[in-house]
């Protein structure tokens, strides 16, 4: 058995060579804890994220859109499932993680605490929220923890249709009736700043030392800062908004020739922290829905487990 | 005649897809969310093909959305079984077993239809509903022979849906496949599953019917109100 | 009694002629449900023609602690590889 120092050195040797850590490798406890927290939060976001869009499955305005939306929300269940499985390789069970979610001890992305009030919100979520998620997730396919990176490869592959369908849905609205176009603009007005906040609080310059960014980057869990990713998202999204013919609700948004990036107004981070702490429009509703689904399903899970146990007894 | 038949089968699939969609983000386990969404998507695909074809046969220029969104409940031709509220997981699985077993026998025979379009739809759908039937079978076995509570709930689920079984096999004018001919193989399959699950077919004396003639339960009106309101709020719009 | 369903590892054959490859895991109460869940979760985009499921706790793995002893000795057996051998260019089909 190697000593602690030696094992830590072996871990960092893999990290420094941009290698991958696998489940049964030695790893610092803090690395393991950080991964569990991050993967769980990511998994929770996928399954809570089913609700705001699932809200429109029954009302989708065409059968084609209904099928697309159903397939997309189904994918999110699948993505949650892949991510819980990745977390389970670190020695926590899905049940434990769900308990933590239900007890408000683990978080999910604050974006899903905003309501989907119109059909255009479904398009805006696909375009902006999934766009922001993809910006966050693509670097995670190179995350230092193998199971997480592999789950992200699968998720990114499947998500490529999510953003496109959202953009297409909005494009159809902006080329439609005046009422449809107004619906699309209203959705952008409401989802723009919450989408920018999805990248998390500022973590460069004066704010560099506050959060987890530095440590996560050292561990190869995070590859870019929140601010870099936010900028990348804005640079990517502004030209798309022009194709849509929609106006981003930021009077100070303009191209900065010197920086080679768009300047933009940052989201209200106080609001972000308030929503994270539970004070968002839908926090209570989302969690209550999730807990009810879990509790309503308990007798079904128990029945299947009991049936399996009976069959095993007969076989033995 | 045949447009009425395609419409009836399409309505069955559409309304059941709508009901199954209600389970999304509400299933007992994540794996089951994915499974139920798959089944709903299969049914929605069947509905779209059948409604599109019904519209073509009718020749009045109505496409799948015109038929799905612009008819009132008196013009829907689905059987009552598919419009019943989802209830708990046992009610849903009881309905799935009853209906998928019926659809399987139906599509299996409809493949031989002289109508090429219906035969093609059936050829694709029969594989889908074979899986739906198997999925429901697995659950009825587990709930029937799981815990006391699940057995009680499963028996209650069967009680709920049983009065709506006979309607599936009633004569239908212009049907390519005689519904009455499906009863015996359906009975054989479902009977065997219930026996293995330790469940009895409910001895109900009730026979609810009317869906094929547009006489529905009160539930359908609410289902349609929800499904149709956005589309109807913007007449002529493209989505 | 815990109602947490056990974990299963899923292997999918993408098409005929290829091996089953590990694609991920899922929870299921028993083998019959596991293979069905795997179909719904891991092949819904037509990714496979055959599925294996294995209870995760039935897998015996080599220990990471012994990985040097297990795998390093194979590293210097260069004579196991065809490129180790030099043959004249005119000798074909070797």
């Amino acid at each position: 058995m190697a000593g602690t120092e030696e094992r830590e050195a072996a871990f960092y040797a893999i990290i420094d060579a941009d290698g991958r850590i696998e489940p049964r490798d030695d790893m610092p406890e803090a690395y393991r804890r950080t991964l569990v927290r991050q993967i769980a939060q990511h998994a929770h976001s996928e399954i809570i994220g089913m609700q705001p869009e699932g809200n429109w499955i029954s009302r989708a305005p065409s059968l084609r859109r209904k099928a697309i939306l159903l397939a997309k929300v189904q994918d999110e269940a699948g993505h949650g499932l892949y991510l819980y499985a990745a977390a389970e390789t670190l020695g926590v069970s899905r049940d434990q993680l769900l308990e933590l979610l239900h007890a408000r001890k683990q978080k999910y992305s604050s974006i899903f605490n905003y309501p989907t009030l119109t059909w255009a919100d479904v398009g805006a979520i696909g375009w902006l929220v999934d766009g922001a998620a993809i910006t966050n997730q693509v670097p995670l396919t190179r995350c230092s923890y193998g199971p997480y990176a592999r789950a992200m490869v699968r998720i990114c592959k499947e998500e490529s249709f999510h953003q496109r369908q959202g953009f297409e849905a909005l494009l159809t609205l902006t080329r439609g009736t005046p009422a449809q176009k107004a619906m699309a603009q209203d959705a952008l007005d409401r989802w723009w700043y919450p989408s920018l906040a999805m990248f998390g609080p500022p973590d460069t310059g004066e704010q560099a030392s506050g959060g987890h960014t530095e440590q996560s980057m050292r561990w190869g869990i995070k590859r870019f800062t929140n601010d870099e990713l936010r900028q990348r998202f804005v640079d990517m999204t502004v030209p798309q908004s022009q194709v849509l013919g929609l106006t981003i609700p930021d009077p100070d948004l303009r191209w900065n020739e010197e920086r080679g990036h768009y300047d933009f107004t940052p989201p209200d981070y106080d609001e972000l922290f308030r929503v994270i702490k539970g004070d968002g429009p839908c926090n209570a509703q989302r969690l209550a829905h999730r807990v009810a689904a879990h509790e309503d399903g308990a007798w079904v899970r128990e029945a299947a487990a009991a049936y399996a146990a009976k069959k095993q007894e007969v076989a033995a | 005649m045949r447009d009425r038949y395609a419409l009836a089968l399409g309505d069955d699939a559409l309304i059941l897809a709508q009901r199954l969609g209600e389970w999304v983000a509400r299933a007992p386990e994540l794996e089951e969310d994915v499974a139920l969404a798959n089944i709903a998507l299969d049914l929605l695909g069947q509905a779209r093909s059948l409604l599109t074809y019904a519209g073509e046969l009718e020749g009045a220029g109505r496409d799948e959305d015109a038929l799905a969104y612009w008819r009132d409940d008196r013009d829907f031709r689905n059987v009552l079984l598919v419009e019943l509220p989802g209830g708990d997981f046992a009610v849903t699985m009881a309905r799935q077993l009853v209906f998928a077993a019926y659809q399987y026998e139906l599509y299996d025979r409809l493949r031989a239809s002289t109508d090429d379009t219906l035969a093609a739809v059936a050829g694709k759908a029969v594989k889908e509903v074979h899986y739906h039937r198997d999925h429901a079978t697995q659950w009825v076995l587990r709930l029937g022979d799981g815990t006391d509570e699940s057995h009680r709930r499963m028996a209650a689920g069967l009680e709920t849906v049983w009065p709506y079984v006979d309607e599936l096999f009633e004569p239908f004018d212009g049907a390519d496949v005689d519904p009455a001919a499906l009863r015996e193989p359906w009975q054989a399959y479902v009977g065997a599953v219930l026996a293995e699950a330790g469940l009895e077919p409910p001895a109900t004396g009730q026979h609810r019917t009317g869906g094929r003639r547009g006489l529905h339960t009160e539930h359908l009106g609410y289902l349609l109100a929800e499904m149709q309101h956005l589309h109807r709020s913007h007449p002529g719009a493209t989505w | 009694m815990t109602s947490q369903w056990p974990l299963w590892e899923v292997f999918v054959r993408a098409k005929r002629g290829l091996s089953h490859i590990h694609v991920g895991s899922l929870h299921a109460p028993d083998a019959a449900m596991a293979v069905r869940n795997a179909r719904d979760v891991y092949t819904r985009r037509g990714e496979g023609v055959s599925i294996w499921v294995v209870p995760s706790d039935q897998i015996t793995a080599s220990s990471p602690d012994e990985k040097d002893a297990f795998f390093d000795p194979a590293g210097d057996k260069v004579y196991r590889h065809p490129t180790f051998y030099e043959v004249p260019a005119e000798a074909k089909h070797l």
Side-chain angles (χ1 to χ4, degrees), chain A residues 18-38:
Chain A
D18 199 18
R20 296 292 175 267
I21 305 296
E22 293 297 343
R24 290 166 21 112
D25 288 339
D26 279 322
M27 60 186 91
E29 178 55 22
Y31 174 83
R32 195 192 73 87
R33 263 203 322 270
T34 299
L35 276 170
V36 169
R37 182 176 51 79
Q38 182 173 335

Side-chain angles (χ1 to χ4, degrees), chain A residues 299 302-303 310, chain B residues 88-91 94 140 142-160 197-200 202:
Chain A
W299 70 271
E302 279 160 21
K310 272 190 221 176
Chain B
D88 67 3
F89 193 69
V91 172
V140 171
R142 281 161 185 75
L143 300 182
D145 192 16
T147 61
D148 289 346
E149 180 182 8
S150 72
H151 181 87
R152 179 179 57 70
R153 286 187 187 245
M154 195 60 236
L158 292 169
E159 293 280 349
T160 303
L199 294 157
E200 299 276 339

Side-chain angles (χ1 to χ4, degrees), chain B residues 28-32 34-36 38 42 127-128 131 134-135 138-139 142 147, chain C residues 1 3-5 25-30 32-33 35-37 39-41 44:
Chain B
E29 188 55 276
L30 272 180
E31 282 78 358
E32 198 53 30
V34 179
L36 290 170
N38 261 358
D42 286 342
K127 291 181 231 164
E128 296 169 348
Y131 186 78
D134 174 66
H135 174 265
Q138 298 301 327
W139 273 116
R142 281 161 185 75
T147 61
Chain C
M1 185 188 80
S3 63
Q4 164 95 70
W5 298 340
S25 31
L26 49 73
H27 287 275
D30 53 48
M33 291 304 280
V35 75
R36 286 164 177 80
N37 289 345
R39 177 257 193 199
D40 286 323
V41 171
R44 63 189 188 280

